[in-house]
Amino acid sequence: MKAIAAFVLTAVVATSASPCMAQFAKPEDAVKYRQSALSVMGTHFGRIAAMASGKAAYDAKEAADNAAIVEFMSRLPWAGFVEGSDKVGNTKALPEVWSQNAKFKEASEKLMAETTKLNAAAKLGTLEALKAAVASTGGACKNCHDSFRAK
Amino acid sequence: MKAIAAFVLTAVVATSASPCMAQFAKPEDAVKYRQSALSVMGTHFGRIAAMASGKAAYDAKEAADNAAIVEFMSRLPWAGFVEGSDKVGNTKALPEVWSQNAKFKEASEKLMAETTKLNAAAKLGTLEALKAAVASTGGACKNCHDSFRAK
């Protein structure tokens, strides 16, 4: 049943990131939206990463709960990277998000694929499976940050 | 299948809001978390509300996609209202969040119940059903804001 739920969830959310939903009144709203979504995702990923690194006690249920949220949140931020929202507010998004948009899109898709694997791995209920998936997901975060986010 | 997914999703996320997951290094982090989650929810609810009020064209699929996100996001902010996070940063949370916590909790549960109904109503695919659910959900937002958020 959980597998079905994950599938439906992924389908629902994946289609939600379509360009026609990228409706923001102002570029500032788009920046706030993407930063908010990334922040929520980061909070929950951070809790799993803390377990994987031994900084927090491993709790299989909490890991799974957090991973489900990470997977869901990973679908959202991309719609906020609308044209004209570079150099807006306190964004750290580099111009490469738009000038190398295919590469950016690929990096975002890589992250989404990794968070899906993370969610599945967290449900296995072992710290070992979690550690491997956290490393892969963290790599996908870093990959995108290195190329598309200002230091 | 969607009903099952919604059920599982609700179960997963509802348990995620347990106090033991309210782990923030600093009160500022808790404020940022709840504001981010509320902001993402508000963005997606705003899109549905625009359809309900006629400011945007009604699109059944977009309404349903947005409502699924609203329901999911409505489970998250509450864990961020940790003790000691009033008067932190630019929070608008009133002291009543903590001094009348049972009432606050009730208001948050009312909102969650309404977003579940909104998600179900949006899937019916009629503007009429959507309008009624948007009004109820908006009422639950307002109810909480009136008592617990500074003007």
Side-chain angles (χ1 to χ4, degrees), chain A residues 1 4 8 15-16 20-21 23-24 32-33 36 39-40 44 47 61-62 65-66 69 72-73 76, chain B residues 1 4 8 15-16 20-21 23-24 32-33 36 39 44 47 61-62 65-66 69 72-73 76:
Chain A
M1 201 159 96
I4 294 172
V8 175
T15 55
S16 301
C20 50
M21 280 185 62
Q23 296 158 339
F24 297 96
K32 185 177 181 185
Y33 176 80
S36 296
S39 178
V40 171
H44 290 282
R47 289 180 188 160
K61 191 186 170 315
E62 287 206 10
D65 287 349
N66 277 293
I69 299 172
F72 191 100
M73 296 308 302
L76 303 185
Chain B
M1 200 160 97
I4 294 172
V8 175
T15 56
S16 301
C20 50
M21 280 185 61
Q23 296 157 338
F24 297 96
K32 184 177 181 185
Y33 176 79
S36 296
S39 176
H44 291 281
R47 289 178 189 164
K61 191 186 171 311
E62 286 204 11
D65 288 348
N66 277 293
I69 299 172
F72 190 99
M73 295 309 300
L76 304 184

Side-chain angles (χ1 to χ4, degrees), chain B residues 136-151:
Chain B
S136 301
T137 305
C141 295
K142 185 177 183 302
N143 171 51
C144 197
H145 290 169
D146 284 349
S147 300
F148 299 105
R149 189 177 73 162
K151 306 291 175 213

Side-chain angles (χ1 to χ4, degrees), chain A residues 47, chain B residues 18-19 21-31 33-34 77-88 93 97-98 101 104:
Chain A
R47 289 180 188 160
Chain B
S18 66
M21 280 185 61
Q23 296 157 338
F24 297 96
K26 305 187 298 289
E28 288 78 4
D29 296 344
V31 172
Y33 176 79
R34 69 200 187 208
W78 322 114
F81 288 91
V82 298
E83 289 278 352
S85 65
D86 56 327
K87 296 173 194 164
V88 168
V97 168
W98 295 273
N101 198 250
F104 178 69

Side-chain angles (χ1 to χ4, degrees), chain B residues 35 43 58 68 72 119 128:
Chain B
Q35 289 182 338
T43 296
Y58 172 61
F72 190 99
N119 192 10
E128 196 170 15

